[in-house]
Amino acid sequence: MATLLPDNNNVDSRSHSSFIARLVAYWSMCVAIVSLFAHKANGQQPPPLDDGNQLLSKQLLSQFAPGNTDIWGSEDGALFQIGRNASLGLSYTFPTGPNVSAPYPVIVYGHGLGAICGFYNVLFDNLAKQGIATVCPGDAGVGGIVSAYETVVKSGFADPKRMALGGHSLGQNAIVGAVPVLEQKGYEPRALSFSAGMTCVMNIPNCDASRVTQPTFFAMPTNDVSSGGGVTGNKASVFDRLSGPGIFAAYPGTHYTLTPLSVANPIRDSVIGYTVAFYVWALFKDDEEG
């Protein structure tokens, strides 16, 4: 099987240390991303991520040992079964089984313009298999994201100490805008992930990446023509403006690679797997550190 490699020139990690440390971090990230995609293409387990940034765990992928997850191709690795429900404009996907119950670690996910929550079920299902629930509001604007976040906390569905945000396209803009609103309300989302290009359009309130201090994973398709600036523009206008640590990785794909509008392929599976690993690290890293 052919090896699948991202564009190394568009893979980066943020660091606030010296120039040498930044250079080492950048090189380590290139090696990690290339190794990740190459191992996935060859049906092997990816190595632990080491980006040289103390704020991002060097063991991001360490818990994904062979036989411990199905996102790398082993159905025996699913830790939990999948449950799904919908209520009051919210779509829920959650882990089920004898050893799991609410409150769950939760990702509040904003869908793209014209999309529906069901477009992202492959991602949601893989998160559920690792013990992480998702809630996707039909209203993917800032207000819808904030309302969904508050609803799952107040209902007891979510563990407020283990929550994060995610989004695609317009939903990415909304989660950036939701961060300061949630923080003003006393909530502390632990991480963000983006899966396609974004520009803060349509007058989305607070859509300013410089206000995001949480660890962020930005997976950017190289052939994304649905957002201004492509890889270079999105890195400069969004990723480089983040106030917190993050990972930027370009992958061969389009704006819709992670949705049913694009044919399923190993690249999609790799990006989804990497996103799941990022969330597992972000929501459970204190377990390892403690």
Side-chain angles (χ1 to χ4, degrees):
M1 183 180 296
T3 299
L4 304 173
L5 299 176
D7 182 352
N8 298 340
N9 291 325
N10 294 303
V11 181
D12 191 16
S13 61
R14 296 175 64 85
S15 174
H16 302 291
S17 56
S18 66
F19 172 77
I20 297 299
R22 291 176 64 87
L23 185 62
V24 171
Y26 182 88
W27 175 250
S28 298
M29 177 60 65
C30 290
V31 173
I33 296 294
V34 170
S35 299
L36 176 73
F37 279 76
H39 277 68
K40 172 61 185 175
N42 292 315
Q44 300 174 18
Q45 181 66 21
L49 177 68
D50 181 358
D51 72 338
N53 189 330
Q54 293 182 357
L55 296 179
L56 289 178
S57 172
K58 294 183 178 182
Q59 301 299 319
L60 177 58
L61 300 177
S62 63
Q63 62 269 61
F64 287 85
N68 195 37
T69 175
D70 70 335
I71 59 174
W72 304 110
S74 170
E75 286 296 330
D76 295 335
L79 302 181
F80 304 100
Q81 299 301 308
I82 301 166
R84 209 183 308 279
N85 198 357
S87 176
L88 301 177
L90 300 178
S91 296
Y92 298 86
T93 306
F94 49 92
T96 64
N99 300 316
V100 62
S101 62
Y104 304 104
V106 170
I107 310 298
V108 179
Y109 197 89
H111 64 70
L113 180 65
I116 59 174
C117 293
F119 277 16
Y120 311 95
N121 280 346
V122 175
L123 171 61
F124 298 165
D125 288 354
N126 277 288
L127 284 164
K129 291 174 184 177
Q130 298 301 321
I132 300 172
T134 52
V135 58
C136 178
D139 173 8
V142 172
I145 298 296
V146 172
S147 177
Y149 200 108
E150 292 184 299
T151 296
V152 295
V153 171
K154 293 177 180 179
S155 69
F157 180 81
D159 177 352
K161 295 182 179 180
R162 298 186 192 277
M163 294 187 67
L165 302 171
H168 171 248
S169 191
L170 190 63
Q172 299 173 167
N173 300 321
I175 66 172
V176 170
V179 166
V181 179
L182 289 168
E183 291 177 337
Q184 289 172 3
K185 291 176 174 285
Y187 297 111
E188 299 179 351
R190 295 178 62 161
L192 288 76
S193 80
F194 310 138
S195 61
M198 60 176 286
T199 50
C200 290
V201 296
M202 300 181 68
N203 298 318
I204 293 177
N206 303 313
C207 190
D208 180 359
S210 68
R211 302 180 71 171
V212 175
T213 60
Q214 292 82 357
T216 301
F217 174 47
F218 195 154
M220 177 70 195
T222 55
N223 297 317
D224 191 340
V225 297
S226 298
S227 60
V231 171
T232 302
N234 275 264
K235 185 176 182 302
S237 64
V238 180
F239 182 80
D240 289 345
R241 288 175 53 80
L242 294 172
S243 295
I247 302 169
F248 185 92
Y251 65 92
T254 70
H255 192 73
Y256 303 101
T257 293
L258 302 190
T259 76
L261 300 179
S262 180
V263 178
N265 60 76
I267 284 290
R268 185 194 73 173
D269 294 341
S270 287
V271 175
I272 288 176
Y274 203 8
T275 303
V276 171
F278 174 75
Y279 279 132
V280 168
W281 168 78
L283 297 178
F284 298 109
K285 62 185 176 70
D286 55 336
D287 291 348
E288 297 177 2
E289 295 169 354

